[in-house]
Amino acid sequence: MVQCRAKIVIFTGYLTFCIILSLAMSVAIIISSYRLLTFATFLCRFCYLFNRVQILMSQAQIDTLASLFNDAIQTLQSDGTLPADWQNNSQITRTKDLSHGDFASNIALTAAKAAKANPRQLAEKIVNALPENQDIRQVEIAGPGFINVFLNA
């Protein structure tokens, strides 16, 4: 079975929020305002829970995408484009810029040598072999062969 490693990139807005929250807690401690301290504690707990939910949602989406890419790889292995013994060591990550999609994969770049093909052309074959999924709005190829995935809202 083809395996896919996933990497989660935490989003910077969350970190900024936590820094501001830490400052608010410091001010609350300094002025000893019980209500402000209680509110800051509540926000910290909310922030933590929100982050956990985001990570779990991201991981579920990455797992879904990994499964779709695995199906595409199996299709390409069965038609001889990729060797049957090729092991998938690619990554699926959140993009830093949303104009590049929600997630990106380097699967075509990692498979190009085994397929003895241009990574961009291999990316086109992988995209064409991807099964339909209602969660995916658009898939596009960027640069030398990255596959960017845009999810439905």
Side-chain angles (χ1 to χ4, degrees), residues 69 72-73 76 81-82 105-112 115 117-130 139-148:
F69 280 119
I73 290 302
L76 294 178
T81 302
L82 276 171
S105 176
N106 65 345
I107 193 166
L109 298 169
T110 61
N118 177 314
R120 191 164 176 90
Q121 292 171 348
L122 184 59
E124 290 173 11
K125 291 179 182 180
I126 292 170
V127 167
N128 290 334
L130 279 174
V139 179
E140 62 183 34
I141 301 164
F146 290 100
I147 300 175
N148 295 338

Side-chain angles (χ1 to χ4, degrees), residues 17-123:
F17 179 72
C18 286
I19 291 169
I20 292 169
L21 196 55
S22 297
L23 291 172
M25 284 187 70
S26 299
V27 169
I29 291 169
I30 291 170
I31 63 173
S32 299
S33 171
Y34 179 74
R35 285 186 178 170
L36 187 58
L37 183 58
T38 304
F39 179 68
T41 303
F42 166 77
L43 285 178
C44 276
R45 289 181 182 156
F46 175 77
C47 189
Y48 172 77
L49 292 174
F50 178 75
N51 183 43
R52 296 301 305 158
V53 168
Q54 287 295 101
I55 289 173
L56 292 174
M57 287 176 57
S58 292
Q59 190 58 49
Q61 292 167 332
I62 288 172
D63 292 343
T64 299
L65 291 174
S67 175
L68 294 172
F69 280 119
N70 286 338
D71 291 346
I73 290 302
Q74 288 174 354
T75 301
L76 294 178
Q77 286 175 327
S78 67
D79 74 10
T81 302
L82 276 171
D85 62 345
W86 181 74
Q87 292 296 311
N88 185 358
N89 294 320
S90 66
Q91 295 180 345
I92 300 172
T93 58
R94 273 220 172 263
T95 59
K96 292 179 180 149
D97 184 354
L98 289 178
S99 68
H100 298 146
D102 296 297
F103 292 95
S105 176
N106 65 345
I107 193 166
L109 298 169
T110 61
K113 186 175 182 180
K116 297 177 183 162
N118 177 314
R120 191 164 176 90
Q121 292 171 348
L122 184 59

Side-chain angles (χ1 to χ4, degrees), residues 1-19:
M1 180 171 177
V2 180
Q3 297 177 354
C4 185
R5 291 181 297 162
K7 176 181 166 187
I8 298 176
V9 178
I10 303 297
F11 120 138
T12 57
Y14 166 75
L15 295 175
T16 305
F17 179 72
C18 286
I19 291 169

